[in-house]
Amino acid sequence: MTEQSLLNFTDELLESNWLYCAICKDILKPPIMLVETIGNVCTTCLEETEVTNLKSMNNSALENVLSLLKLPCKFKLKGCMERCSYGKLSFHQNNCKFRTKICPMQKVSGCEWEGSSLDFADHFKQCHGDHVINFENDLFFLQTSLTERNVVKLLVMKQHTYMLRMQNNLEKNKIFYVICSLTDDYNSFCEYAVKHKGASDNYIKTKSKILSSYFIYDDIDESIAVEIDINALKQIAQVSDTITNIFKIKLEDSLTETMDEKILHFFECPVCKNFMKPPIYQCHSGHSLCNLCRPRLEKCPTCRSTFGNTRNYSLEGLTVGVMYPCIYHDSGCAEIGSASDILKHESECSYKPYSCPFPSCNSSGNHDIIVNHLINFHFDSVIYNGASGFTDSFRLDQNNIYNKVFDRKCVIAYNHIFKLTCKRVAEHCLMAAEVVGSQNTSKTFVYEVSVIDMRRPEKKLIRTDYCLNEMPEEELFKKCIMFPNSVLSSYSHHGMVTFNFTIREK
Protein backbone atom coordinates (compact mmCIF):
# COMPACT_ATOMS: atom_id res chain seq x y z
CA MET A 1 0.00 0.00 0.00
CA THR A 2 1.46 3.37 -1.01
CA GLU A 3 1.73 6.17 1.50
CA GLN A 4 -1.12 8.06 -0.17
CA SER A 5 -3.31 4.96 -0.15
CA LEU A 6 -2.55 4.52 3.54
CA LEU A 7 -3.58 8.11 4.24
CA ASN A 8 -6.82 7.60 2.28
CA PHE A 9 -7.50 4.38 4.21
CA THR A 10 -6.91 6.25 7.49
CA ASP A 11 -9.34 8.98 6.52
CA GLU A 12 -11.99 6.38 5.62
CA LEU A 13 -11.60 4.74 9.06
CA LEU A 14 -11.89 8.13 10.75
CA GLU A 15 -15.05 8.95 8.80
CA SER A 16 -16.60 5.63 9.83
CA ASN A 17 -15.82 6.47 13.52
CA TRP A 18 -14.04 3.11 14.05
CA LEU A 19 -10.99 4.86 15.55
CA TYR A 20 -12.81 7.01 18.09
CA CYS A 21 -13.50 6.28 21.77
CA ALA A 22 -17.19 5.59 22.35
CA ILE A 23 -17.16 7.78 25.49
CA CYS A 24 -14.84 10.80 25.02
CA LYS A 25 -15.17 10.77 21.19
CA ASP A 26 -11.42 11.35 20.85
CA ILE A 27 -9.06 9.13 18.83
CA LEU A 28 -8.41 5.93 20.73
CA LYS A 29 -5.17 5.57 22.67
CA PRO A 30 -3.73 2.15 23.54
CA PRO A 31 -4.45 0.06 25.43
CA ILE A 32 -7.85 -0.09 23.75
CA MET A 33 -10.60 -1.93 25.59
CA LEU A 34 -13.67 -3.40 23.86
CA VAL A 35 -16.50 -2.97 26.38
CA GLU A 36 -19.74 -4.97 26.32
CA THR A 37 -22.69 -2.96 24.87
CA ILE A 38 -20.48 0.18 24.66
CA GLY A 39 -17.79 -0.42 22.05
CA ASN A 40 -14.11 0.56 21.90
CA VAL A 41 -13.04 2.67 24.85
CA CYS A 42 -9.69 4.18 25.79
CA THR A 43 -8.30 3.07 29.15
CA THR A 44 -8.65 6.55 30.70
CA CYS A 45 -12.39 6.60 30.08
CA LEU A 46 -12.68 3.02 31.30
CA GLU A 47 -11.13 3.93 34.66
CA GLU A 48 -12.89 7.27 35.11
CA THR A 49 -16.46 6.30 34.20
CA GLU A 50 -19.09 3.85 35.44
CA VAL A 51 -18.40 1.26 32.74
CA THR A 52 -15.71 -0.46 34.81
CA ASN A 53 -18.29 -3.01 36.00
CA LEU A 54 -19.05 -4.14 32.45
CA LYS A 55 -17.21 -6.96 30.77
CA SER A 56 -14.28 -5.80 28.66
CA MET A 57 -11.31 -7.18 26.76
CA ASN A 58 -8.22 -5.75 25.14
CA ASN A 59 -8.72 -5.01 21.44
CA SER A 60 -5.14 -5.79 20.37
CA ALA A 61 -6.13 -6.19 16.70
CA LEU A 62 -7.30 -2.57 16.50
CA GLU A 63 -4.12 -1.48 18.29
CA ASN A 64 -2.05 -3.19 15.60
CA VAL A 65 -3.99 -1.36 12.91
CA LEU A 66 -3.49 1.96 14.71
CA SER A 67 0.27 1.39 14.88
CA LEU A 68 0.41 1.50 11.07
CA LEU A 69 -1.55 4.72 10.65
CA LYS A 70 -0.58 8.36 10.59
CA LEU A 71 -3.38 10.22 12.31
CA PRO A 72 -4.32 13.87 11.84
CA CYS A 73 -4.07 16.36 14.69
CA LYS A 74 -7.43 17.10 16.31
CA PHE A 75 -6.77 20.80 15.63
CA LYS A 76 -6.88 20.17 11.87
CA LEU A 77 -9.89 22.43 11.46
CA LYS A 78 -7.88 25.27 13.09
CA GLY A 79 -5.08 24.92 10.55
CA CYS A 80 -2.76 22.15 11.75
CA MET A 81 -1.76 19.82 8.89
CA GLU A 82 0.45 17.54 11.00
CA ARG A 83 -0.07 13.75 10.96
CA CYS A 84 1.58 11.50 13.55
CA SER A 85 1.68 7.91 14.67
CA TYR A 86 -0.58 7.33 17.64
CA GLY A 87 2.49 7.03 19.90
CA LYS A 88 3.45 10.64 19.14
CA LEU A 89 0.00 12.10 18.58
CA SER A 90 -0.75 12.94 22.21
CA PHE A 91 2.50 14.86 22.73
CA HIS A 92 2.02 16.77 19.47
CA GLN A 93 -1.56 17.77 20.33
CA ASN A 94 -0.54 18.95 23.78
CA ASN A 95 2.18 21.05 22.17
CA CYS A 96 0.34 22.07 19.00
CA LYS A 97 0.52 25.77 18.23
CA PHE A 98 -3.11 25.61 17.06
CA ARG A 99 -4.23 24.17 20.37
CA THR A 100 -6.52 26.27 22.53
CA LYS A 101 -4.31 27.26 25.48
CA ILE A 102 -5.48 27.90 29.03
CA CYS A 103 -3.79 30.78 30.87
CA PRO A 104 -1.45 29.40 33.60
CA MET A 105 -2.71 32.18 35.90
CA GLN A 106 -5.97 30.23 36.17
CA LYS A 107 -4.72 28.45 39.30
CA VAL A 108 -3.22 31.65 40.73
CA SER A 109 -5.90 34.26 40.10
CA GLY A 110 -8.72 32.39 38.33
CA CYS A 111 -8.04 33.89 34.88
CA GLU A 112 -10.46 32.33 32.36
CA TRP A 113 -8.60 33.29 29.17
CA GLU A 114 -8.28 30.65 26.46
CA GLY A 115 -6.69 31.14 23.09
CA SER A 116 -3.83 30.49 20.71
CA SER A 117 -0.23 30.31 21.89
CA LEU A 118 0.45 33.08 19.35
CA ASP A 119 -1.76 35.45 21.38
CA PHE A 120 -0.62 34.29 24.81
CA ALA A 121 2.25 36.74 25.39
CA ASP A 122 0.10 39.77 24.52
CA HIS A 123 -2.68 38.54 26.81
CA PHE A 124 -0.25 38.03 29.70
CA LYS A 125 1.36 41.48 29.35
CA GLN A 126 -2.03 43.22 29.15
CA CYS A 127 -3.84 41.32 31.91
CA HIS A 128 -1.04 40.19 34.26
CA GLY A 129 1.49 43.01 34.02
CA ASP A 130 2.47 42.67 37.69
CA HIS A 131 3.72 39.15 36.87
CA VAL A 132 6.07 40.33 34.11
CA ILE A 133 9.81 40.61 34.85
CA ASN A 134 12.12 42.46 32.48
CA PHE A 135 15.75 41.44 32.14
CA GLU A 136 18.80 43.36 33.33
CA ASN A 137 21.91 42.16 31.47
CA ASP A 138 20.31 38.72 30.96
CA LEU A 139 19.44 38.52 34.68
CA PHE A 140 15.99 38.21 36.25
CA PHE A 141 15.44 38.97 39.93
CA LEU A 142 12.51 37.41 41.76
CA GLN A 143 11.69 37.31 45.45
CA THR A 144 9.50 34.38 46.50
CA SER A 145 8.09 33.11 49.76
CA LEU A 146 8.69 29.51 50.80
CA THR A 147 4.96 29.23 51.49
CA GLU A 148 3.76 30.28 48.00
CA ARG A 149 2.01 27.38 46.28
CA ASN A 150 2.19 28.60 42.67
CA VAL A 151 4.36 31.26 41.03
CA VAL A 152 3.92 32.24 37.37
CA LYS A 153 6.12 34.92 35.76
CA LEU A 154 6.75 36.09 32.21
CA LEU A 155 10.48 36.72 31.64
CA VAL A 156 11.05 39.31 28.92
CA MET A 157 14.43 39.76 27.25
CA LYS A 158 15.28 41.92 24.23
CA GLN A 159 14.63 39.20 21.63
CA HIS A 160 13.28 36.31 23.67
CA THR A 161 10.40 35.72 26.08
CA TYR A 162 10.10 32.82 28.51
CA MET A 163 7.64 31.57 31.09
CA LEU A 164 8.71 30.65 34.64
CA ARG A 165 6.50 28.34 36.68
CA MET A 166 7.27 27.39 40.30
CA GLN A 167 5.21 24.99 42.37
CA ASN A 168 5.51 24.29 46.09
CA ASN A 169 4.87 20.64 47.00
CA LEU A 170 4.46 20.73 50.78
CA GLU A 171 3.89 16.98 50.95
CA LYS A 172 7.31 16.29 49.43
CA ASN A 173 8.86 19.38 51.07
CA LYS A 174 10.16 20.42 47.65
CA ILE A 175 9.85 23.35 45.28
CA PHE A 176 9.70 22.45 41.57
CA TYR A 177 10.20 24.89 38.75
CA VAL A 178 10.59 25.03 34.97
CA ILE A 179 11.40 27.75 32.44
CA CYS A 180 9.70 27.30 29.09
CA SER A 181 9.92 28.88 25.67
CA LEU A 182 6.81 30.65 24.42
CA THR A 183 7.36 29.39 20.90
CA ASP A 184 7.06 25.84 19.59
CA ASP A 185 10.40 26.03 17.78
CA TYR A 186 12.20 26.37 21.13
CA ASN A 187 15.96 25.95 21.32
CA SER A 188 16.80 23.01 23.60
CA PHE A 189 20.40 24.26 23.87
CA CYS A 190 19.43 27.38 25.80
CA GLU A 191 20.53 27.01 29.41
CA TYR A 192 19.96 28.95 32.59
CA ALA A 193 21.42 29.00 36.09
CA VAL A 194 19.72 30.19 39.27
CA LYS A 195 21.20 31.44 42.52
CA HIS A 196 18.80 31.15 45.44
CA LYS A 197 19.94 33.60 48.14
CA GLY A 198 18.61 34.42 51.60
CA ALA A 199 19.73 36.55 54.52
CA SER A 200 23.00 34.64 54.92
CA ASP A 201 26.05 34.77 52.65
CA ASN A 202 25.34 31.22 51.47
CA TYR A 203 23.28 30.32 48.43
CA ILE A 204 22.01 27.31 46.50
CA LYS A 205 22.77 27.15 42.79
CA THR A 206 20.70 25.17 40.28
CA LYS A 207 20.77 24.97 36.49
CA SER A 208 18.83 23.36 33.68
CA LYS A 209 17.66 23.86 30.06
CA ILE A 210 14.75 25.78 28.58
CA LEU A 211 11.79 23.46 27.97
CA SER A 212 9.09 23.33 25.29
CA SER A 213 6.05 25.60 25.46
CA TYR A 214 4.02 22.46 26.21
CA PHE A 215 4.95 22.72 29.89
CA ILE A 216 3.47 26.21 30.24
CA TYR A 217 -0.15 25.17 30.14
CA ASP A 218 -0.34 21.81 31.95
CA ASP A 219 0.61 20.75 35.48
CA ILE A 220 4.36 20.76 36.15
CA ASP A 221 5.93 17.40 35.35
CA GLU A 222 8.05 16.87 38.46
CA SER A 223 10.15 14.24 36.70
CA ILE A 224 11.70 16.84 34.38
CA ALA A 225 11.46 19.95 36.62
CA VAL A 226 14.27 21.35 38.75
CA GLU A 227 13.67 20.52 42.39
CA ILE A 228 14.97 22.27 45.54
CA ASP A 229 14.68 21.08 49.11
CA ILE A 230 12.65 23.54 51.21
CA ASN A 231 14.64 22.81 54.38
CA ALA A 232 17.86 23.76 52.57
CA LEU A 233 16.25 27.04 51.48
CA LYS A 234 15.11 27.73 55.06
CA GLN A 235 18.73 27.49 56.24
CA ILE A 236 19.89 30.21 53.86
CA ALA A 237 16.74 32.29 54.38
CA GLN A 238 17.41 32.34 58.16
CA VAL A 239 15.02 34.73 59.94
CA SER A 240 12.56 35.24 57.07
CA ASP A 241 10.88 32.88 54.63
CA THR A 242 11.84 35.01 51.62
CA ILE A 243 14.32 33.87 48.98
CA THR A 244 15.85 36.05 46.25
CA ASN A 245 16.13 34.05 43.03
CA ILE A 246 18.58 35.36 40.43
CA PHE A 247 18.01 33.77 37.01
CA LYS A 248 20.74 34.02 34.37
CA ILE A 249 19.78 32.76 30.92
CA LYS A 250 22.51 31.72 28.49
CA LEU A 251 21.51 31.63 24.87
CA GLU A 252 23.07 29.15 22.46
CA ASP A 253 25.64 31.61 21.10
CA SER A 254 26.95 32.35 24.61
CA LEU A 255 27.27 28.81 25.97
CA THR A 256 30.92 28.28 25.02
CA GLU A 257 33.16 29.17 27.93
CA THR A 258 35.95 31.64 27.26
CA MET A 259 39.46 30.92 28.46
CA ASP A 260 39.02 33.52 31.23
CA GLU A 261 35.87 31.74 32.46
CA LYS A 262 37.70 28.40 32.54
CA ILE A 263 40.63 29.87 34.48
CA LEU A 264 38.36 31.75 36.91
CA HIS A 265 37.01 28.44 38.21
CA PHE A 266 40.39 27.90 39.87
CA PHE A 267 40.16 31.27 41.64
CA GLU A 268 36.81 30.65 43.36
CA CYS A 269 37.09 31.15 47.12
CA PRO A 270 35.72 28.02 48.91
CA VAL A 271 34.01 30.19 51.54
CA CYS A 272 32.34 33.19 49.86
CA LYS A 273 32.41 31.72 46.28
CA ASN A 274 33.75 35.02 44.92
CA PHE A 275 36.89 35.09 42.80
CA MET A 276 40.15 35.55 44.71
CA LYS A 277 42.32 38.58 43.99
CA PRO A 278 45.71 39.43 45.53
CA PRO A 279 46.55 39.02 48.33
CA ILE A 280 45.59 35.32 48.30
CA TYR A 281 46.29 33.34 51.47
CA GLN A 282 46.70 29.61 52.00
CA CYS A 283 46.58 27.21 54.94
CA HIS A 284 49.48 24.96 55.96
CA SER A 285 48.12 22.24 53.65
CA GLY A 286 48.02 24.56 50.63
CA HIS A 287 44.30 25.41 50.33
CA SER A 288 43.73 28.99 49.22
CA LEU A 289 41.08 31.54 50.13
CA CYS A 290 40.50 35.25 49.63
CA ASN A 291 41.81 38.07 51.81
CA LEU A 292 38.28 38.98 52.98
CA CYS A 293 37.48 35.51 54.34
CA ARG A 294 40.90 34.80 55.85
CA PRO A 295 40.56 37.16 58.91
CA ARG A 296 37.17 35.64 59.78
CA LEU A 297 38.41 32.03 60.03
CA GLU A 298 40.55 30.24 62.56
CA LYS A 299 40.89 27.02 60.57
CA CYS A 300 40.83 26.05 56.92
CA PRO A 301 37.28 25.18 55.83
CA THR A 302 38.61 22.46 53.52
CA CYS A 303 41.01 20.48 55.75
CA ARG A 304 40.63 22.16 59.18
CA SER A 305 44.38 22.85 59.43
CA THR A 306 45.60 26.13 60.91
CA PHE A 307 46.52 29.32 59.10
CA GLY A 308 49.72 31.28 59.14
CA ASN A 309 50.48 34.36 57.09
CA THR A 310 51.47 32.31 54.04
CA ARG A 311 50.61 33.83 50.68
CA ASN A 312 49.99 31.83 47.51
CA TYR A 313 52.31 33.86 45.31
CA SER A 314 52.07 31.41 42.41
CA LEU A 315 48.29 31.85 42.21
CA GLU A 316 48.66 35.61 42.65
CA GLY A 317 51.06 35.68 39.71
CA LEU A 318 48.48 34.05 37.46
CA THR A 319 45.97 36.83 38.19
CA VAL A 320 47.98 39.30 36.08
CA GLY A 321 46.47 37.96 32.85
CA VAL A 322 42.95 37.28 34.15
CA MET A 323 39.95 39.50 33.44
CA TYR A 324 37.66 39.46 36.49
CA PRO A 325 33.91 40.04 36.42
CA CYS A 326 32.61 42.60 38.89
CA ILE A 327 31.75 41.04 42.25
CA TYR A 328 28.22 42.36 41.70
CA HIS A 329 27.70 40.54 38.37
CA ASP A 330 24.87 38.56 39.96
CA SER A 331 23.09 41.87 40.48
CA GLY A 332 23.38 42.83 36.83
CA CYS A 333 26.80 44.48 36.42
CA ALA A 334 28.54 43.46 33.19
CA GLU A 335 31.89 45.17 33.93
CA ILE A 336 35.10 43.12 33.62
CA GLY A 337 38.71 44.13 34.20
CA SER A 338 42.06 43.27 35.71
CA ALA A 339 42.24 42.60 39.46
CA SER A 340 43.32 46.17 40.27
CA ASP A 341 40.91 47.84 37.85
CA ILE A 342 37.92 45.77 38.95
CA LEU A 343 38.60 46.53 42.63
CA LYS A 344 38.48 50.23 41.86
CA HIS A 345 35.28 49.76 39.86
CA GLU A 346 33.61 47.70 42.63
CA SER A 347 34.09 50.51 45.14
CA GLU A 348 31.78 52.70 43.05
CA CYS A 349 29.71 50.10 41.19
CA SER A 350 26.12 51.23 40.72
CA TYR A 351 24.95 47.65 41.38
CA LYS A 352 26.63 47.44 44.78
CA PRO A 353 24.00 46.49 47.39
CA TYR A 354 23.29 48.82 50.30
CA SER A 355 21.22 48.48 53.44
CA CYS A 356 19.46 51.47 54.94
CA PRO A 357 21.87 53.02 57.51
CA PHE A 358 19.13 53.56 60.07
CA PRO A 359 18.94 50.54 62.45
CA SER A 360 15.14 50.39 62.62
CA CYS A 361 14.77 50.14 58.82
CA ASN A 362 15.23 46.95 56.76
CA SER A 363 15.17 48.50 53.28
CA SER A 364 17.92 47.54 50.84
CA GLY A 365 18.88 48.09 47.21
CA ASN A 366 21.56 49.63 45.02
CA HIS A 367 22.99 53.12 45.58
CA ASP A 368 20.28 55.01 43.70
CA ILE A 369 17.47 53.06 45.34
CA ILE A 370 18.80 53.69 48.85
CA VAL A 371 19.45 57.39 48.17
CA ASN A 372 15.84 57.81 46.99
CA HIS A 373 14.66 55.80 50.00
CA LEU A 374 16.60 58.04 52.41
CA ILE A 375 15.26 61.23 50.83
CA ASN A 376 11.65 59.99 50.76
CA PHE A 377 11.42 58.16 54.09
CA HIS A 378 14.13 59.68 56.35
CA PHE A 379 14.16 63.25 55.01
CA ASP A 380 14.36 64.76 58.54
CA SER A 381 17.71 63.06 59.09
CA VAL A 382 19.29 63.32 55.62
CA ILE A 383 21.60 66.03 54.28
CA TYR A 384 21.59 65.82 50.49
CA ASN A 385 24.62 67.12 48.54
CA GLY A 386 26.17 67.73 51.92
CA ALA A 387 29.87 68.12 51.00
CA SER A 388 29.74 71.68 52.33
CA GLY A 389 28.43 70.33 55.63
CA PHE A 390 25.63 71.28 57.99
CA THR A 391 25.21 72.94 61.36
CA ASP A 392 23.33 71.46 64.32
CA SER A 393 23.14 71.76 68.09
CA PHE A 394 22.32 69.73 71.20
CA ARG A 395 21.70 70.42 74.89
CA LEU A 396 24.77 69.69 76.99
CA ASP A 397 23.02 69.15 80.32
CA GLN A 398 20.64 66.36 79.21
CA ASN A 399 21.67 63.65 81.67
CA ASN A 400 19.03 61.23 80.35
CA ILE A 401 20.94 60.74 77.09
CA TYR A 402 24.20 59.56 78.69
CA ASN A 403 25.49 56.25 77.29
CA LYS A 404 23.00 56.49 74.44
CA VAL A 405 23.14 57.45 70.80
CA PHE A 406 21.30 60.77 70.71
CA ASP A 407 21.62 61.65 67.04
CA ARG A 408 22.01 59.90 63.68
CA LYS A 409 22.17 61.58 60.31
CA CYS A 410 23.03 60.57 56.76
CA VAL A 411 25.04 62.83 54.51
CA ILE A 412 24.98 62.23 50.75
CA ALA A 413 28.08 63.67 49.09
CA TYR A 414 30.75 62.73 46.53
CA ASN A 415 28.36 60.03 45.23
CA HIS A 416 28.72 58.25 48.59
CA ILE A 417 26.52 57.86 51.65
CA PHE A 418 27.97 58.81 55.05
CA LYS A 419 26.49 58.09 58.45
CA LEU A 420 27.13 60.47 61.36
CA THR A 421 26.48 59.03 64.81
CA CYS A 422 26.65 61.03 68.06
CA LYS A 423 26.79 59.56 71.55
CA ARG A 424 27.10 61.01 75.05
CA VAL A 425 28.97 59.33 77.88
CA ALA A 426 29.65 60.62 81.37
CA GLU A 427 32.70 62.73 80.49
CA HIS A 428 32.73 62.98 76.69
CA CYS A 429 30.68 63.61 73.59
CA LEU A 430 31.57 61.12 70.84
CA MET A 431 31.12 61.77 67.11
CA ALA A 432 31.86 59.21 64.38
CA ALA A 433 31.46 59.21 60.60
CA GLU A 434 31.24 56.03 58.51
CA VAL A 435 31.22 55.45 54.78
CA VAL A 436 28.14 53.31 54.06
CA GLY A 437 28.92 50.34 51.81
CA SER A 438 32.63 50.99 52.26
CA GLN A 439 33.95 47.49 51.52
CA ASN A 440 36.70 47.63 48.88
CA THR A 441 36.36 51.40 48.52
CA SER A 442 39.37 52.98 46.85
CA LYS A 443 38.72 56.52 48.12
CA THR A 444 39.60 58.14 51.43
CA PHE A 445 37.41 60.72 53.15
CA VAL A 446 37.89 62.84 56.25
CA TYR A 447 35.28 64.47 58.43
CA GLU A 448 35.64 67.65 60.42
CA VAL A 449 33.63 68.70 63.44
CA SER A 450 33.85 72.38 64.50
CA VAL A 451 32.34 73.32 67.86
CA ILE A 452 31.28 76.99 67.68
CA ASP A 453 30.86 79.46 70.53
CA MET A 454 27.71 81.28 69.38
CA ARG A 455 28.56 84.26 71.60
CA ARG A 456 31.79 84.70 69.63
CA PRO A 457 31.46 82.71 66.35
CA GLU A 458 35.14 83.19 65.54
CA LYS A 459 35.93 80.98 68.55
CA LYS A 460 35.96 77.37 67.38
CA LEU A 461 37.16 73.99 68.58
CA ILE A 462 38.03 71.89 65.51
CA ARG A 463 38.72 68.16 65.31
CA THR A 464 39.38 66.15 62.12
CA ASP A 465 39.64 62.41 61.52
CA TYR A 466 39.28 59.80 58.78
CA CYS A 467 35.82 58.50 57.91
CA LEU A 468 35.61 54.90 59.08
CA ASN A 469 34.34 51.79 57.39
CA GLU A 470 31.02 50.48 58.69
CA MET A 471 31.50 48.60 61.95
CA PRO A 472 29.65 47.69 65.18
CA GLU A 473 29.01 50.68 67.44
CA GLU A 474 31.10 49.29 70.31
CA GLU A 475 34.12 49.39 67.97
CA LEU A 476 33.09 52.61 66.27
CA PHE A 477 33.20 54.72 69.43
CA LYS A 478 36.72 53.54 70.26
CA LYS A 479 38.04 55.19 67.07
CA CYS A 480 36.04 58.40 66.77
CA ILE A 481 36.42 62.08 67.66
CA MET A 482 35.93 62.76 71.40
CA PHE A 483 35.11 66.15 72.95
CA PRO A 484 35.43 66.41 76.77
CA ASN A 485 32.19 67.69 78.28
CA SER A 486 34.20 70.07 80.46
CA VAL A 487 35.63 71.74 77.34
CA LEU A 488 32.26 71.80 75.55
CA SER A 489 30.71 73.65 78.48
CA SER A 490 32.98 76.65 77.77
CA TYR A 491 31.59 76.77 74.22
CA SER A 492 27.93 76.33 75.17
CA HIS A 493 25.40 79.14 75.02
CA HIS A 494 22.30 78.86 77.18
CA GLY A 495 23.19 75.19 77.66
CA MET A 496 23.29 74.51 73.89
CA VAL A 497 26.38 73.31 72.03
CA THR A 498 26.48 74.19 68.31
CA PHE A 499 28.72 72.35 65.87
CA ASN A 500 29.39 72.30 62.14
CA PHE A 501 30.04 69.00 60.36
CA THR A 502 31.78 68.73 56.95
CA ILE A 503 33.19 65.93 54.77
CA ARG A 504 35.91 66.22 52.19
CA GLU A 505 37.67 63.81 49.88
CA LYS A 506 41.35 63.37 50.61
Side-chain angles (χ1 to χ4, degrees):
M1 184 179 291
T2 65
E3 183 174 354
Q4 185 59 48
S5 299
L6 185 59
L7 293 178
N8 293 336
F9 175 66
T10 304
D11 291 339
E12 289 177 7
L13 290 176
L14 290 170
E15 289 177 5
S16 65
N17 292 326
W18 282 104
L19 302 182
Y20 290 96
C21 173
I23 296 177
C24 67
K25 308 302 181 184
D26 202 352
I27 293 178
L28 289 160
K29 304 179 187 67
I32 301 170
M33 304 302 293
L34 183 58
V35 181
E36 181 183 26
T37 72
I38 299 294
N40 292 304
V41 175
C42 59
T43 304
T44 302
C45 290
L46 183 67
E47 294 174 349
E48 294 180 354
T49 59
E50 298 178 353
V51 300
T52 51
N53 296 327
L54 299 176
K55 291 182 179 180
S56 63
M57 60 180 294
N58 179 233
N59 193 341
S60 57
L62 187 55
E63 289 179 13
N64 291 333
V65 172
L66 269 174
S67 66
L68 301 173
L69 305 180
K70 286 197 172 182
L71 303 167
C73 173
K74 67 180 180 180
F75 303 111
K76 180 180 178 180
L77 295 178
K78 292 186 177 182
C80 182
M81 304 306 295
E82 193 74 22
R83 297 181 81 110
C84 307
S85 65
Y86 73 74
K88 298 180 179 179
L89 184 63
S90 179
F91 179 83
H92 164 76
Q93 291 179 160
N94 285 332
N95 200 31
C96 180
K97 64 182 179 180
F98 295 96
R99 171 193 180 194
T100 299
K101 311 289 187 178
I102 298 173
C103 180
M105 290 297 293
Q106 185 183 65
K107 293 184 178 180
V108 179
S109 61
C111 178
E112 298 181 351
W113 179 88
E114 293 185 15
S116 166
S117 60
L118 301 175
D119 301 323
F120 171 72
D122 289 338
H123 155 75
F124 205 92
K125 292 175 183 178
Q126 292 173 10
C127 299
H128 309 293
D130 54 339
H131 290 266
V132 175
I133 305 176
N134 292 299
F135 85 107
E136 295 179 32
N137 292 334
D138 296 344
L139 295 178
F140 298 91
F141 299 85
L142 172 63
Q143 283 195 327
T144 56
S145 169
L146 297 179
T147 59
E148 283 185 90
R149 295 290 299 199
N150 287 287
V151 175
V152 179
K153 300 292 180 182
L154 192 70
L155 310 180
V156 180
M157 300 173 70
K158 284 182 178 178
Q159 298 178 344
H160 302 274
T161 305
Y162 301 101
M163 175 59 65
L164 165 69
R165 296 187 59 201
M166 302 182 77
Q167 189 170 289
N168 191 331
N169 189 324
L170 296 178
E171 293 73 28
K172 295 183 178 180
N173 207 34
K174 302 279 188 182
I175 291 177
F176 296 90
Y177 74 86
V178 293
I179 294 181
C180 309
S181 168
L182 254 61
T183 59
D184 298 308
D185 55 345
Y186 77 104
N187 190 337
S188 61
F189 293 101
C190 294
E191 295 180 351
Y192 63 92
V194 189
K195 277 190 176 181
H196 311 275
K197 302 176 70 175
S200 69
D201 292 332
N202 297 324
Y203 60 84
I204 295 173
K205 189 172 184 178
T206 56
K207 60 181 181 180
S208 189
K209 292 185 177 182
I210 305 292
L211 299 179
S212 160
S213 62
Y214 161 66
F215 298 99
I216 294 176
Y217 310 101
D218 293 332
D219 289 336
I220 290 181
D221 184 348
E222 295 180 356
S223 65
I224 52 91
V226 180
E227 67 174 66
I228 318 171
D229 185 77
I230 292 179
N231 288 331
L233 291 175
K234 286 181 178 178
Q235 290 182 1
I236 64 172
Q238 292 188 347
V239 294
S240 73
D241 68 347
T242 300
I243 294 292
T244 299
N245 307 278
I246 305 171
F247 295 82
K248 183 174 181 64
I249 294 179
K250 291 185 177 182
L251 303 178
E252 183 180 15
D253 56 3
S254 64
L255 291 180
T256 304
E257 280 191 319
T258 65
M259 185 57 69
D260 275 334
E261 289 174 330
K262 291 179 180 178
I263 293 175
L264 279 171
H265 290 310
F266 297 102
F267 288 88
E268 187 176 274
C269 174
V271 180
C272 67
K273 306 300 182 182
N274 291 319
F275 298 122
M276 296 180 286
K277 310 175 188 73
I280 301 173
Y281 292 92
Q282 62 182 9
C283 72
H284 289 145
S285 298
H287 299 117
S288 299
L289 72 165
C290 74
N291 64 318
L292 296 177
C293 292
R294 165 64 188 88
R296 304 202 299 259
L297 300 173
E298 295 181 0
K299 293 184 178 181
C300 173
T302 304
C303 66
R304 310 305 296 169
S305 65
T306 57
F307 286 109
N309 292 317
T310 307
R311 298 261 294 274
N312 191 334
Y313 290 106
S314 297
L315 199 57
E316 287 181 16
L318 292 175
T319 65
V320 175
V322 175
M323 298 297 286
Y324 285 86
C326 173
I327 195 173
Y328 307 114
H329 65 277
D330 282 342
S331 297
C333 183
E335 189 76 18
I336 59 173
S338 65
S340 58
D341 289 343
I342 208 67
L343 280 172
K344 182 178 180 181
H345 159 79
E346 288 168 355
S347 68
E348 301 174 348
C349 179
S350 60
Y351 291 91
K352 179 166 64 174
Y354 290 80
S355 296
C356 179
F358 293 98
S360 59
C361 184
N362 296 321
S363 296
S364 61
N366 61 31
H367 178 272
D368 292 343
I369 290 174
I370 288 299
V371 167
N372 289 330
H373 165 78
L374 290 171
I375 294 171
N376 293 326
F377 294 94
H378 304 283
F379 56 91
D380 289 338
S381 300
V382 174
I383 312 299
Y384 190 61
N385 291 328
S388 58
F390 67 93
T391 301
D392 204 350
S393 60
F394 61 90
R395 180 166 292 281
L396 185 63
D397 57 0
Q398 281 185 283
N399 295 330
N400 63 325
I401 63 172
Y402 283 171
N403 296 316
K404 296 179 181 178
V405 171
F406 69 89
D407 192 19
R408 278 193 181 90
K409 281 188 172 58
C410 278
V411 177
I412 301 168
Y414 303 107
N415 203 33
H416 282 69
I417 302 171
F418 302 87
K419 180 171 67 172
L420 171 66
T421 308
C422 302
K423 182 178 180 179
R424 294 285 302 282
V425 295
E427 297 181 355
H428 293 86
C429 176
L430 312 177
M431 294 188 177
E434 302 166 85
V435 186
V436 177
S438 56
Q439 185 179 10
N440 295 333
T441 185
S442 60
K443 293 184 178 180
T444 302
F445 299 93
V446 296
Y447 68 107
E448 180 180 284
V449 181
S450 301
V451 179
I452 305 168
D453 188 339
M454 297 305 292
R455 295 164 298 188
R456 292 175 294 172
E458 67 276 4
K459 180 183 177 183
K460 298 179 181 179
L461 177 62
I462 300 174
R463 295 286 186 271
T464 303
D465 206 341
Y466 289 99
C467 294
L468 300 165
N469 296 335
E470 287 184 284
M471 61 183 68
E473 286 185 356
E474 58 269 20
E475 295 296 321
L476 178 68
F477 290 117
K478 294 177 183 178
K479 303 176 181 180
C480 65
I481 292 175
M482 295 187 293
F483 292 103
N485 291 335
S486 58
V487 175
L488 291 178
S489 63
S490 65
Y491 285 81
S492 65
H493 180 51
H494 298 306
M496 299 297 293
V497 174
T498 301
F499 68 92
N500 180 262
F501 177 86
T502 58
I503 291 176
R504 65 176 183 268
E505 185 177 355
K506 190 169 177 63

